[in-house]
Amino acid sequence: MANYMFEVTVSNSVRNQTQNVPGKFGTGTGGSFNPLVCQAGTLCVQNGLIPSEGYEAFNILNGNTWYFNAAASGKVVGQPGDHTGIYAFNNYDINKAVSGDNQWNLGANTLGLSLPAGNRGDFCELIVGEQYTWGKDNFTAVPTEGQIYATIANGQWTPTQTAPTDGSVYAEILRTKPITEGTTFWGDGYVLVIRRSVAAAQ
């Protein structure tokens, strides 16, 4: 069983109504957008507004629904502050069986579900100082002792022993915690606090 997951752990999100936004995941944007399955907790960046359905021919864009691509790194142009511009896919949906264009809701085992290609989902912006929990498969490798930081590469966390110094967003790995779904042990989650490095003076 894949261990992808995302959970808001310590956050002020109830007072930040723009932290969670809808969107579709894939590559490209606009007419070149290619929808893909999005795993829970995948790290993403916005890449253009999605047209309002039924009005595509008139170029009327939805005000806050975005195309999302996997985050290549911890840097987002124009986002130098606590609002990082990096989002994690956060699925509140239920299990779906997909066959072609047809989908059936199954309503069980909701933890760590992926977003079917082409579907809209919810994406949570990572804020500096807030804590979130991911599963082990959201990392390029399972963190080992001494790897107390994680950088971003291709939509996943990469464990490292040293924090970056290039102004990018990264995370400090605080602890693990057991995750249960109902009465069943699901696995360990990794609690990360979001940080931003300070770029060295030139």
Side-chain angles (χ1 to χ4, degrees), residues 23-198:
K24 295 182 178 182
F25 177 78
T27 59
T29 186
S32 65
F33 180 71
N34 177 40
L36 298 172
V37 172
C38 188
Q39 300 295 341
T42 297
L43 303 172
C44 305
V45 293
Q46 295 173 339
N47 191 10
L49 288 167
I50 291 176
S52 293
E53 290 184 1
Y55 297 91
E56 293 88 350
F58 301 98
N59 198 30
I60 297 175
L61 301 178
N62 192 302
N64 197 29
T65 303
W66 301 82
Y67 293 112
F68 281 92
N69 301 159
S73 69
K75 290 185 175 181
V76 178
V77 175
Q79 298 277 168
D82 291 348
H83 284 265
T84 62
I86 296 172
Y87 293 75
F89 171 57
N90 191 13
N91 200 349
Y92 308 104
D93 209 346
I94 60 176
N95 233 341
K96 295 179 184 293
V98 180
S99 177
D101 293 334
N102 297 316
Q103 296 182 21
W104 296 269
N105 294 336
L106 301 181
N109 299 326
T110 60
L111 183 65
L113 293 179
S114 60
L115 178 68
N119 280 19
R120 277 187 171 83
D122 292 320
F123 295 80
C124 177
E125 185 179 18
L126 306 182
I127 306 295
V128 172
E130 293 190 347
Q131 297 178 31
Y132 312 92
T133 303
W134 279 269
K136 67 180 179 64
D137 286 338
N138 294 106
F139 292 79
T140 56
V142 175
T144 60
E145 187 174 354
Q147 293 181 321
I148 60 171
Y149 303 108
T151 58
I152 297 171
N154 299 318
Q156 290 185 292
W157 293 110
T158 298
T160 178
Q161 293 184 349
T162 57
T165 57
D166 59 356
S168 62
V169 173
Y170 68 102
E172 180 182 349
I173 304 172
L174 296 182
R175 61 190 174 95
T176 60
K177 70 174 185 179
I179 305 296
T180 59
E181 185 171 31
T183 59
T184 304
F185 175 67
W186 178 83
D188 286 328
Y190 292 84
V191 181
L192 279 61
V193 60
I194 304 304
R195 307 289 191 200
R196 182 185 290 282
S197 63
V198 177

